Amino acid sequence: LGRDVLAGLTTRTSADAVAQLSALLSSLGYRVRGVRVSGCLHLKSAATRAGPRTVVVNPEWLDVSELDGWDIVRVDPAEPQAANVLWLGAVTLVPAAFPRTAERLARATGLPAVAIPAAELALAEGSLTCGSLVVEISDAQQATMAGRRG
């Protein structure tokens, strides 16, 4: 979230791991802090960035006070696994199984919430961020790549 990196403290990530991550990223100007997550395996199951200043959260799995200063959208209570979304700047991708939370996000951010089939990922508590590697490419890099193709 900006220059703040949140690391979920779960059964899979210890405070020592968070300290190691902090040591690696602090020289690059990032602040790392651990946040307690319960009820799920991963931080991104409990909360993900969903817009320029927005985080979608399942408040049963993460204390929303950990996200002070950010606009919070709570998942619809009938969709507890809906917090794992993928914000791509102009749109937010949301698993198709969570239309109520998608509507909440669209209203809160003013961005389209695009439904993506993700049922197979959900079988192993996975979601959109699990199957994605997002890389921001500058206009100059895009032009260079287009020139190589053309």
Side-chain angles (χ1 to χ4, degrees):
L1 303 176
R3 302 305 284 176
D4 292 322
V5 175
L6 305 183
L9 292 170
T10 68
T11 58
R12 295 180 172 196
T13 306
S14 67
D16 186 47
V18 173
Q20 290 176 39
L21 182 62
S22 181
L24 289 169
L25 296 180
S26 64
S27 66
L28 300 172
Y30 289 95
R31 294 175 300 273
V32 177
R33 63 186 171 92
V35 295
R36 293 257 169 239
V37 178
S38 63
C40 60
L41 294 176
H42 311 284
L43 173 61
K44 287 187 175 183
S45 296
T48 55
R49 191 167 178 185
R53 296 285 321 144
T54 305
V55 179
V56 61
V57 178
N58 179 333
E60 298 295 319
W61 296 346
L62 175 79
D63 181 356
V64 296
S65 69
E66 296 283 2
L67 303 168
D68 196 34
W70 289 82
D71 298 331
I72 303 297
V73 174
R74 295 169 187 257
V75 299
D76 185 280
E79 301 173 345
Q81 296 177 329
N84 191 320
V85 303
L86 188 58
W87 175 56
L88 297 176
V91 301
T92 302
L93 305 181
V94 180
F98 308 125
R100 293 177 179 141
T101 300
E103 176 59 31
R104 287 179 178 206
L105 282 172
R107 267 195 325 268
T109 64
L111 298 173
V114 178
I116 300 293
E120 289 297 315
L121 289 169
L123 294 175
E125 197 188 309
S127 194
L128 302 180
T129 62
C130 301
S132 303
L133 178 60
V134 179
V135 178
E136 189 171 345
I137 299 174
S138 71
D139 291 341
Q141 290 168 318
Q142 288 180 36
T144 299
M145 291 170 62
R148 288 183 188 155
R149 283 185 242 137

